[in-house]
Amino acid sequence: MNGVLRTALAYFNMLPFQRWLNGVGLLLLAFGAIQFSSDDIRSGSTGFSFSLAGIVALSLMPAFGGGIALRFASTPTLLHLMPHGRVRAMLGSMLAITLIASLVTLPFVGMEWFMASPGRSVDPHYSPPLEAFLVSWPLVAVGWILIFAVSRSLLVWAVMGLMPMAVMSAGQAIGSALPGAHWMFVAGLASWAAFAIWYLRTDSVVRPAFPIMSGGSDTSTTPIGRLLSQVGATSGPASRPQGLLQYLFGCASPLFFVLNGAWIAAVFIVVQLFTMGSLFQRTDPLLTMMPYIAFLNAGLGFNAARRARFLWLRTDLDRKGLFSLVERLGLRYSMMGWFAACALLMASALIDRPELTTTLLLYFALQATAAMAVFYGCLALTESWSVRDVTLCVVLAVLMLAQMLIAQPRRDPSIEVVTWALVAAAAILVMLRAYAGLRWRALDWRVAKMSRASLGIRT
């Protein structure tokens, strides 16, 4: 029983920064509980919002990363070290799903308690707690199974952006066909039982094809990497600059970043065609997705900060020179991918709304500046998720959210609003670049140590 409980709790502590997410989530839950106990009639919705935000912080990683973690932990090498490893993994995963569904239910419990006070009527917009649990449990379970399945193939991961739309469409169709939430729970439980039977009977489980937090991972096995190798873009011996790119960013060909960005744009366009029926009408959702493409820059900046410190013997550079080198390469290739992803989205918006050309171009410049700022912010994460690193991430998230709300395309922001947001983003970009350079002046060098076996040392 202790092994099952430890397995379930491990999903909430898979990565170092989850401890910070869990702390933030608990604080938000505590603030939501305080709001629920207030006498103000408006504090109920406030408590529900803060509680829901806390639940997202607590359950985001286990809900979306649990399937990958289960596949990773189910490899023969790891399971051979655990008696009854698969049974414990399956029961622990089921317990983790139940914990996530229970967390999702907490805001509804608080809202029901708040509305039960004298003089307050029941708000029909909020579901009863039992119904919330019966709906959330099968959604989390089926999502867990889907992520476990698609993590086997990088080709399937390439169309991961289409999965939320497919899951929502399927959920609406199935939910409307079922007479009640309890039948949805039964269907989800049956799906999990079928998955458990397969999992316990299969001979072996393949490792996840998706790189798990491995900065600078080799991209030659990805669909785009294979395409580049077939057309000869990555064939032959790598030169010194190509080797540097391969080590820092996982690919020796700059064309990889362009194709990667274009593929992301293609996924967004397919979603636009399915939801809106046209590529050049009602393009606000396409523009709304542009800030999220900055995650490409965030990943490259973070990976470069992790791996560049191993290069000091190979590049013959001091910290300032190494920062200039990584800055030049990282900013160039991250923005190549960003422009490839956003150019087509912006072209569609300009065709749809030519009368707003100036505002849309300023919005494009704003998002490009924000993407560069995110790159420098992540380039400054040099302390392995210390308090300083976590604080910087929170500040970056708040700033990105603020500019998304201020210059939201659906609200038709004026030229003045977008211009001032662009000026503020440029100022923040300059400050983040200076801060990143300051952090790299104290960068700790690391040397890759040879194994004891290769040195002839017996253990």
Side-chain angles (χ1 to χ4, degrees), residues 310-341:
F310 290 97
L311 293 175
W312 67 289
L313 290 176
R314 298 171 177 85
T315 57
D316 195 24
L317 295 172
D318 58 6
R319 291 175 173 87
K320 183 178 180 180
L322 186 61
F323 174 77
S324 300
L325 175 66
V326 174
E327 174 191 21
R328 184 176 69 254
L329 295 177
L331 192 61
R332 178 192 307 169
Y333 295 117
S334 64
M335 292 309 295
M336 284 174 60
W338 188 90
F339 276 108

Side-chain angles (χ1 to χ4, degrees), residues 68 72 151 154 157 208-219 221-222:
I68 304 175
F72 185 78
S151 63
L154 283 170
W157 270 115
F210 183 71
I212 301 180
M213 296 301 291
S214 53
S217 298
D218 184 14
T219 59
T221 58
T222 64

Side-chain angles (χ1 to χ4, degrees), residues 194-403:
F195 171 70
I197 292 174
W198 170 86
Y199 177 81
L200 294 175
R201 291 187 176 182
T202 188
D203 294 332
S204 62
V205 176
V206 181
R207 290 174 62 90
F210 183 71
I212 301 180
M213 296 301 291
S214 53
S217 298
D218 184 14
T219 59
S220 60
T221 58
T222 64
I224 297 177
R226 291 174 181 173
L227 174 63
L228 293 177
S229 63
Q230 290 177 2
V231 300
T234 58
S235 61
S239 62
R240 184 179 181 87
Q242 288 177 331
L244 187 61
L245 281 178
Q246 178 73 39
Y247 180 76
L248 287 175
F249 308 119
C251 185
S253 173
L255 186 58
F256 173 85
F257 304 101
V258 177
L259 293 178
N260 191 44
W263 180 256
I264 293 173
V267 172
F268 288 160
I269 288 171
V270 171
V271 174
Q272 170 77 5
L273 291 174
F274 270 97
T275 55
M276 300 298 177
S278 174
L279 180 58
F280 304 113
Q281 294 180 2
R282 294 180 294 174
T283 56
D284 291 345
L286 289 179
L287 297 179
T288 305
M289 297 305 298
M290 287 179 62
Y292 298 99
I293 302 178
F295 282 108
L296 291 175
N297 304 58
L300 289 179
F302 179 71
N303 290 336
R306 292 179 62 193
R307 298 183 68 85
R309 64 187 68 195
F310 290 97
L311 293 175
W312 67 289
L313 290 176
R314 298 171 177 85
T315 57
D316 195 24
L317 295 172
D318 58 6
R319 291 175 173 87
K320 183 178 180 180
L322 186 61
F323 174 77
S324 300
L325 175 66
V326 174
E327 174 191 21
R328 184 176 69 254
L329 295 177
L331 192 61
R332 178 192 307 169
Y333 295 117
S334 64
M335 292 309 295
M336 284 174 60
W338 188 90
F339 276 108
C342 294
L344 189 54
L345 306 184
M346 180 56 61
S348 301
L350 290 173
I351 295 175
D352 178 31
R353 305 167 72 180
E355 71 279 4
L356 298 178
T357 299
T358 303
T359 304
L360 291 177
L361 290 178
L362 286 173
Y363 180 78
F364 184 83
L366 168 62
Q367 298 307 323
T369 306
M372 290 187 286
V374 168
F375 170 78
Y376 280 113
C378 292
L379 199 62
L381 301 177
T382 60
E383 296 184 350
S384 300
W385 298 110
S386 64
V387 176
R388 186 179 304 180
D389 283 359
V390 174
T391 304
L392 178 58
C393 288
V394 173
V395 172
L396 285 175
V398 171
L399 292 175
M400 285 295 293
L401 182 61
Q403 68 92 11

Side-chain angles (χ1 to χ4, degrees), residues 22-193:
N22 294 338
V24 171
L26 291 175
L27 288 176
L28 291 173
L29 279 178
F31 185 79
I34 294 174
Q35 291 297 309
F36 283 133
S37 61
S38 175
D39 294 332
D40 189 356
I41 190 64
R42 295 173 297 180
S43 61
S45 58
T46 303
F48 185 87
S49 300
F50 276 95
S51 300
L52 196 60
I55 299 307
V56 171
L58 286 168
S59 60
L60 183 65
M61 288 304 301
F64 289 94
I68 304 175
L70 177 61
R71 179 176 285 278
F72 185 78
S74 301
T75 55
T77 303
L78 294 177
L79 281 182
H80 286 167
L81 302 177
M82 297 172 55
H84 310 290
R86 286 197 183 182
V87 176
R88 291 186 179 183
M90 181 53 56
L91 293 177
S93 300
M94 189 173 180
L95 179 57
I97 293 172
T98 305
L99 289 175
I100 295 172
S102 301
L103 287 173
V104 173
T105 309
L106 288 180
F108 297 92
V109 173
M111 198 64 188
E112 186 177 54
W113 176 73
F114 177 80
M115 292 185 297
S117 301
R120 295 171 182 168
S121 59
V122 177
D123 192 338
H125 294 92
Y126 297 97
S127 302
L130 179 59
E131 183 177 348
F133 179 84
L134 294 177
V135 172
S136 60
W137 196 98
L139 289 178
V140 176
V142 173
W144 196 300
I145 296 171
L146 286 177
I147 294 177
F148 178 92
V150 301
S151 63
R152 187 183 188 277
S153 171
L154 283 170
L155 184 61
V156 181
W157 270 115
V159 294
M160 187 64 182
L162 301 177
M163 188 164 296
M165 180 185 63
V167 171
M168 290 178 62
S169 301
Q172 291 177 356
I174 296 175
S176 60
L178 295 175
H182 58 284
W183 286 107
M184 183 178 291
F185 177 78
V186 171
L189 194 62
S191 300
W192 185 261

